[in-house]
Amino acid sequence: MINLNYYPGCTLKTKAKNFEDSAIASMSALGIALIELPRWNCCGASYCLAEDDLIHQVAPVRNLIRVKSQESRVESQGEGDSRLQTPDSRLLKVVTLCPFCYNTLKRANLIVRNDPGKRDTLNSFMDEEIDYHGEVETVHLLEVLRDDVGWEAIAKKVKVPLEGLIVAPYYGCTLIRPREIAIDNVERPTVLHRLMETLGATVVDFPFATECCGSFQSVSNPELAAETAWNILTLAQRQGAEALVLSCPLCEYNLGFQQKLIRRRHGEFKGIPTPYFTQLLALALGLESCGFDRGYTDSRALLQSKGLLS
Amino acid sequence: MDKLGSSTKRALVIGGGIAGIQASLDIADAGYEVLLVEKTPSIGGHMLQYSEVFPTLDCPQCIGTPKMVEVGQHSNIRILAYSEVESVSGTIGDFTVRIRRRATHVDWDRCNGCGLCLQKCPVKVPSEYNCFLPFDNRGAIYIPFAQAVPNKPVIDAQTCRYFKYRRFMEEGEESKKPPECRICEKVCPLGVIDWEQQDEIVEEKVGAIVVAAGFDLMDKGEIGEFAEGRDIINGLEFERILCPSGPTAGVVMRPSDGIEPREVVFISCVGSRDPELGVPYCSRVCCMYLAKQALLYKHAVPDGQAYIFYMDQRTTGKGYEEFVRRAVEEYHVMYLRGRVSKIFRDGDRLRVQGADTLSGRRVDISCDLVVLGMAMMPSAGFKELARKLGIATDEYGFITEIHSKFRPMETSVPGIYVAGTAQGPRDIPDSVAMGSGVASKVLDLFSRDGVGSPL
Amino acid sequence: MRIELTPEKLHGSFVVKVEEISGQDLLSCYQCGKCSAGCPMSFAMDILPNQIIRLAQLGMEAEIAESKAIWLCATCITCIARCPRGCDLSRVIEALRLLTLRKNADAIEPSRIPAETLAELPQIALVSCFRKFTA
């Protein structure tokens, strides 16, 4: 078993527990133990875009410092060998699952790496035991699956191929925008496609794979966010998808939970399940803890009809 | 002024497009010898691919072919088609040029261009001249188009069955043994097929070099937000579809399934004026050719609807602005002022998400065909040619002229001149004018007894 | 509506502040409208994203303050991913929002969010919303 630092973030401990549970179980089955960081704090969720505002970068950078100090603790205990390395051995790796956390940690790290003045201000303000210079590389779980585990290795572990299941992969925004931190091609990402194909599912061409779901506008303008979600969901259905595969808890709220609101606005709208990719991964790996009973939408009837779930 | 000895009063013109053709004819008419090197099997360039040309709607095959024939028959012009410059040495008045004559596998000196071989070749592959569009194919032995000069075939060894057979026998390259074929050889009445022909390097002396290497369009794949698909085509592809001698015989149909497009969206500045894609410059011709294509589409499909997304209308030539007004007022082409953010396939149609900044509205259009006015770039492989010639290019690969106002046709190397789109995007009249202009520079050089100081 | 343009307005403190906070050169935008064409929320905006920048270029602070568009941006960054000029509209909009928020004025009243919504919303939605819409 290889260990990998893991930053969960707030939502995965509450509303998206099924996302986290299915990810941890799947990775374990693939030989990677996700080791939760001690004393992590909220990443700030939405990256601050103001040039003159550094205070909102403190939260993400503190989390990166946690990774650095955790790593030095592990090294002093001589456990360094069993940890997943980055290609650049000087970098320390931390994996995220929530795309908002991924985005915020990754972009805050760019400030530390690219702006020495801001880096020094942040270090002196935080007054931690160690200074931080950008040594941590934040990666997303999809990158680990693609780059470290590999499609072939995953394919070998598949016990329940998702045969007959037709899915539309949906990336949302924060994993692939902006370009500097994208885990894949900004306009034509393939990682989720490849994962679903590896698990045996059929993937439809889905032009709205990177279209925004409305994001946090669902708090202040739920009707508008529901309208954007309706656009996305109905295109997926027209393309023949039976499920929309997600990678973000906020997308699941907007595209899953808000289907009730969409149905009120568009009477003809028929729902579509919105499982996380980790749930389908866990299912295909033959694991019990897929958490299909805890989603905003229910994928169970669909999966049962395909004989994938009893 | 220093005299550097006598010069070779013979010019090399690189590129057989309309600029190179004009330069060659003007130099040759004045009594000097011209070597015209063209990398494809025929001269003519992009202009010969076009449907009618703006703003007069002349047929380029009709007005271009006589010029091509004139070049072909001119006693002072020697065409080296299917050839490329290998290396250049020497200085103004005394260049030594090595030229690679690619193997055509047909003895052009003896071939009379009867075309029997073309009819019998069993291979069918998409043709370069038709931008690889469906509906029409060429054989492995082919003449790129009917009016080609020289009108002699070449064999494409990549797709020829006999060459495949030979590769199989020698290297086992193909998975199963291809037929030996050699049908062209059997039907040729003159026995001019030459399977053993090799590339040949010839060395020539010239006193002046004209670079008229032309342009290519940016690859559509660069625009990630526009879907890939057969019905999203570039302007050159649509020229072929509109062209009466094109693969559809001028019947407007979309490439995927041949249906007549009811709505067509044209998009200007795709790749051009886009510093994020590395092309901050304007390609100069798209405003006009898109207006022309929309108008020709309306000729072909009178009840169809054409939309043109544009940022600014740059119609600065004689008769150009009037032409665009005709497209709007007589043909009801709908101009939308804005860029397009995304194109995707929805069912069997395309969805175009654009903006019309004049009305301040987002506009979405369902259509059958999208034509992209892609950025003009230096022709493929031009960087390498510029390096061989030792001439300076700008950061985009176009030739840098020595003085943008007063010496627009002279490169950084004395005795090497530039004409046409190798210097930057320009249209046909400007390219022809530049071809004549550059000829006068060459003739000026040849009119002297020796060669003046390069500076 | 007729607007008097003056050099003071074009180069005034409003324009300077927006450029400082956003780190963007407002005049780098050439008004092609691609941001508006791809914006997932532009269907609901009273003025389009490209018009937001245009008004900022012209120093029209009051007109921007009156519009609802800057509060509809979901920071999805589609505009920048496709902007031919590399002008970061999400940063310009953030700067425009901050000019209001820094006057200690909230754009959303948390107590008005229905309890049922609060119970279901993921934390990242709430935190993001408060970060973008409250002082």
Side-chain angles (χ1 to χ4, degrees):
Chain A
M1 194 73 98
I2 299 174
N3 291 344
L4 178 57
N5 292 312
Y6 164 55
Y7 173 86
C10 316
T11 310
L12 266 71
K13 290 295 177 189
T14 52
K15 292 283 180 284
K17 198 79 184 77
N18 54 346
F19 193 12
E20 176 177 58
D21 290 347
S22 54
I24 290 175
S26 299
M27 294 315 284
S28 172
L30 293 169
I32 294 178
L34 299 184
I35 309 296
E36 187 171 321
L37 278 182
R39 282 189 60 223
W40 56 267
N41 53 259
C42 170
C43 67
S46 194
Y47 179 74
C48 177
L49 294 161
E51 282 290 314
D52 63 351
D53 179 352
L54 264 190
I55 196 72
H56 287 105
Q57 308 300 348
V58 171
V61 175
R62 266 199 212 281
N63 285 311
L64 298 172
I65 292 186
R66 297 279 175 277
V67 181
K68 190 176 165 185
S69 45
Q70 166 75 357
E71 283 285 325
S72 46
R73 203 171 307 131
V74 168
E75 244 166 57
S76 67
Q77 292 164 2
E79 292 170 14
D81 291 346
S82 64
R83 303 185 84 77
L84 195 61
Q85 300 289 323
T86 57
D88 182 342
S89 59
R90 287 163 300 177
L91 293 176
L92 314 166
K93 203 163 184 165
V94 62
V95 69
T96 56
L97 194 46
C98 170
F100 273 62
C101 303
Y102 170 81
N103 191 279
T104 308
L105 295 178
K106 194 103 181 176
R107 293 170 84 182
N109 206 34
L110 286 182
I111 292 187
V112 176
R113 283 188 189 168
N114 300 336
D115 192 327
K118 286 182 177 170
R119 179 189 68 206
D120 293 347
T121 309
L122 280 167
N123 275 323
S124 107
F125 176 85
M126 290 186 296
D127 205 18
E128 294 267 346
E129 278 172 24
I130 49 172
D131 276 355
Y132 182 65
H133 301 98
E135 298 92 333
V136 175
E137 188 65 31
T138 305
V139 296
H140 188 263
L141 193 78
L142 281 168
E143 293 177 286
V144 175
L145 289 171
R146 178 189 63 198
D147 304 333
D148 298 312
V149 183
W151 304 132
E152 272 179 40
I154 296 173
K156 278 185 196 147
K157 296 265 173 108
V158 170
K159 293 202 175 76
V160 185
L162 305 181
E163 274 164 18
L165 185 66
I166 305 171
V167 300
Y170 180 77
Y171 297 83
C173 307
T174 52
L175 290 180
I176 48 152
R177 288 190 291 265
R179 201 175 300 274
E180 305 86 79
I181 58 101
I183 66 165
D184 205 338
N185 185 291
V186 175
E187 296 290 352
R188 295 173 187 172
T190 56
V191 55
L192 210 42
H193 294 66
R194 289 296 308 277
L195 176 63
M196 287 301 122
E197 281 168 1
T198 302
L199 302 182
T202 302
V203 179
V204 300
D205 173 40
F206 187 45
F208 281 176
T210 66
E211 195 83 355
C212 175
C213 69
S215 192
F216 53 81
Q217 285 293 341
S218 52
V219 183
S220 46
N221 292 294
E223 283 79 15
L224 299 184
E227 210 54 27
T228 63
W230 176 76
N231 262 320
I232 293 165
L233 295 170
T234 49
L235 183 65
Q237 289 173 321
R238 285 204 299 283
Q239 299 294 101
E242 300 164 326
L244 194 67
V245 182
L246 305 184
S247 56
C248 171
L250 182 43
C251 298
E252 220 237 318
Y253 178 82
N254 285 344
L255 297 166
F257 181 76
Q258 291 293 66
Q259 287 187 18
K260 283 184 229 166
L261 178 59
I262 294 172
R263 231 170 276 129
R264 282 208 296 275
R265 295 168 62 87
H266 300 277
E268 76 292 350
F269 174 71
K270 289 189 175 55
I272 178 171
T274 52
Y276 291 116
F277 71 91
T278 51
Q279 294 181 286
L280 294 180
L281 175 60
L283 176 67
L285 295 174
L287 304 175
E288 293 295 321
S289 53
C290 303
F292 287 118
D293 53 332
R294 283 173 288 157
Y296 286 126
T297 58
D298 199 337
S299 306
R300 284 175 295 185
L302 170 68
L303 297 171
Q304 281 158 357
S305 76
K306 304 283 173 185
L308 301 170
L309 200 66
S310 51
Chain B
M1 208 182 273
D2 288 339
K3 302 278 180 188
L4 299 179
S6 64
S7 62
T8 308
K9 293 181 177 178
R10 185 174 191 233
L12 170 72
V13 175
I14 304 171
I18 196 62
I21 286 175
Q22 189 63 43
S24 300
L25 286 173
D26 285 1
I27 297 167
D29 284 346
Y32 296 99
E33 240 184 277
V34 174
L35 271 178
L36 175 53
V37 172
E38 163 59 43
K39 71 179 170 189
T40 73
S42 170
I43 61 168
H46 284 307
M47 180 179 162
L48 261 286
Q49 290 178 292
Y50 302 157
S51 180
E52 295 153 40
V53 288
F54 62 80
T56 46
L57 299 183
D58 294 303
C59 155
Q61 290 76 30
C62 315
I63 60 172
T65 311
K67 271 190 180 293
M68 289 165 63
V69 170
E70 204 184 334
V71 170
Q73 294 178 343
H74 207 295
S75 57
N76 280 339
I77 302 177
R78 187 146 67 91
I79 300 173
L80 299 181
Y82 215 45
S83 301
E84 286 177 76
V85 170
E86 276 285 298
S87 66
V88 178
S89 58
T91 53
I92 180 168
D94 183 28
F95 292 107
T96 302
V97 189
R98 286 158 56 82
I99 299 161
R100 176 180 294 272
R101 307 212 61 188
R102 288 168 59 202
T104 60
H105 302 291
V106 175
D107 182 350
W108 277 10
D109 292 336
R110 295 197 295 125
C111 170
N112 65 1
C114 74
L116 262 179
C117 53
L118 313 182
Q119 290 164 22
K120 299 294 179 191
C121 177
V123 175
K124 293 285 169 259
V125 290
S127 109
E128 295 84 351
Y129 176 69
N130 284 330
C131 306
F132 306 104
L133 284 166
F135 313 126
D136 189 35
N137 292 315
R138 65 162 171 83
I141 185 164
Y142 70 102
I143 294 177
F145 53 100
Q147 307 87 352
V149 173
N151 208 269
K152 305 285 171 75
V154 298
I155 293 177
D156 166 13
Q158 276 310 306
T159 54
C160 169
R161 283 188 184 176
Y162 180 55
F163 276 108
K164 281 187 177 171
Y165 169 82
R166 282 179 29 159
R167 285 197 293 272
F168 176 82
M169 298 309 279
E170 284 160 26
E171 305 151 28
E173 195 180 280
E174 309 283 329
S175 53
K176 82 172 201 276
K177 190 167 157 181
E180 210 178 324
C181 192
R182 299 175 77 159
I183 290 173
C184 51
E185 187 181 3
K186 287 172 197 128
V187 300
C188 178
L190 298 173
V192 299
I193 304 293
D194 179 0
W195 302 109
E196 308 310 322
Q197 197 184 70
Q198 299 291 321
D199 285 7
E200 184 192 352
I201 306 286
V202 295
E203 198 171 286
E204 300 282 351
K205 292 273 186 196
V206 294
I209 298 173
V210 174
V211 186
F215 72 93
D216 276 321
L217 295 179
M218 182 190 276
D219 180 13
K220 288 177 289 194
E222 296 276 328
I223 320 295
E225 60 269 30
F226 293 177
E228 285 169 319
R230 303 214 82 168
D231 298 333
I232 301 174
I233 60 177
N234 68 30
L236 206 47
E237 291 171 294
F238 199 50
E239 289 291 338
R240 294 312 299 147
I241 290 176
L242 288 167
C243 185
S245 61
T248 63
V251 178
V252 176
M253 50 179 80
R254 64 179 196 181
S256 65
D257 56 8
I259 71 152
E260 182 183 80
R262 305 307 303 163
E263 279 95 31
V264 181
V265 172
F266 298 85
I267 307 177
S268 318
C269 302
V270 185
S272 308
R273 303 175 69 191
D274 192 331
E276 289 290 298
L277 281 177
V279 178
Y281 56 82
C282 164
S283 291
R284 285 183 67 182
V285 296
C286 325
C287 282
M288 280 308 293
Y289 81 66
L290 292 177
K292 178 207 71 180
Q293 291 184 344
L295 188 147
L296 292 180
Y297 162 70
K298 289 288 288 181
H299 275 176
V301 187
D303 57 345
Q305 181 63 52
Y307 301 89
I308 300 184
F309 282 96
Y310 75 105
M311 291 211 291
D312 302 283
Q313 268 177 28
R314 295 183 172 168
T315 52
T316 55
K318 194 184 258 192
Y320 289 9
E321 174 64 16
E322 299 91 315
F323 183 92
V324 170
R325 291 317 306 166
R326 253 180 81 200
V328 174
E329 291 164 26
E330 285 179 36
Y331 292 88
H332 300 167
V333 173
M334 184 49 70
Y335 273 80
L336 300 162
R337 200 273 165 201
R339 273 192 189 263
V340 166
S341 179
K342 190 178 174 81
I343 306 171
F344 60 95
R345 183 161 281 284
D346 187 358
D348 65 351
R349 304 195 89 197
L350 296 164
R351 286 286 285 174
V352 176
Q353 296 184 336
D356 176 49
T357 62
L358 296 180
S359 60
R361 294 290 188 278
R362 229 190 98 154
V363 289
D364 286 21
I365 300 170
S366 276
C367 66
D368 303 300
L369 185 68
V370 174
V371 181
L372 307 177
M374 297 301 306
M376 279 172 95
M377 323 264 285
S379 60
F382 183 69
K383 210 174 178 178
E384 183 61 17
L385 177 62
R387 196 189 54 76
K388 288 172 186 165
L389 293 164
I391 54 177
T393 53
D394 62 24
E395 56 192 299
Y396 318 111
F398 291 113
I399 294 176
T400 308
E401 65 280 14
I402 204 82
H403 190 292
S404 63
K405 301 286 184 297
F406 301 128
R407 296 166 76 183
M409 286 163 287
E410 292 164 69
T411 71
S412 56
V413 176
I416 302 185
Y417 307 91
V418 57
T421 51
Q423 188 266 353
R426 52 176 40 74
D427 61 12
I428 293 168
D430 284 5
S431 293
V432 173
M434 206 171 175
S436 283
V438 84
S440 86
K441 297 305 294 180
V442 172
L443 295 173
D444 170 52
L445 180 73
F446 290 172
S447 70
R448 299 161 195 253
D449 288 337
V451 172
S453 157
L455 302 174
Chain C
M1 199 188 333
R2 199 172 59 179
I3 290 142
E4 182 83 9
L5 288 182
T6 60
E8 290 73 31
K9 199 164 190 173
L10 295 179
H11 311 290
S13 65
F14 169 70
V15 173
V16 171
K17 260 195 256 172
V18 172
E19 295 201 332
E20 256 174 29
I21 299 175
S22 68
Q24 303 301 302
D25 174 2
L26 290 174
L27 291 178
S28 71
C29 167
Y30 61 11
Q31 289 293 310
C32 71
K34 190 152 182 157
C35 48
S36 304
C39 174
M41 302 305 288
S42 63
F43 74 95
M45 290 179 175
D46 50 356
I47 55 170
L48 291 181
N50 71 286
Q51 292 176 309
I52 296 172
I53 297 203
R54 185 62 186 155
L55 291 173
Q57 287 174 340
L58 295 172
M60 296 186 181
E61 185 174 8
E63 287 78 358
I64 292 173
E66 281 165 20
S67 90
K68 294 186 183 65
I70 57 171
W71 306 105
L72 292 179
C73 166
T75 325
C76 76
I77 308 202
T78 306
C79 47
I80 304 135
R82 298 175 189 163
C83 176
R85 301 287 315 169
C87 177
D88 194 332
L89 176 57
S90 73
R91 287 180 187 270
V92 172
I93 289 180
E94 180 111 326
L96 293 168
R97 281 193 298 245
L98 285 172
L99 287 183
T100 299
L101 297 176
R102 285 178 183 178
K103 292 176 184 129
N104 209 19
D106 290 341
I108 183 172
E109 179 47 57
S111 63
R112 294 219 186 109
I113 302 172
E116 190 231 19
T117 307
L118 277 179
E120 291 296 341
L121 274 171
Q123 281 82 343
I124 44 175
L126 277 171
V127 176
S128 298
C129 176
F130 293 156
R131 295 280 294 256
K132 298 296 180 194
F133 297 150
T134 59

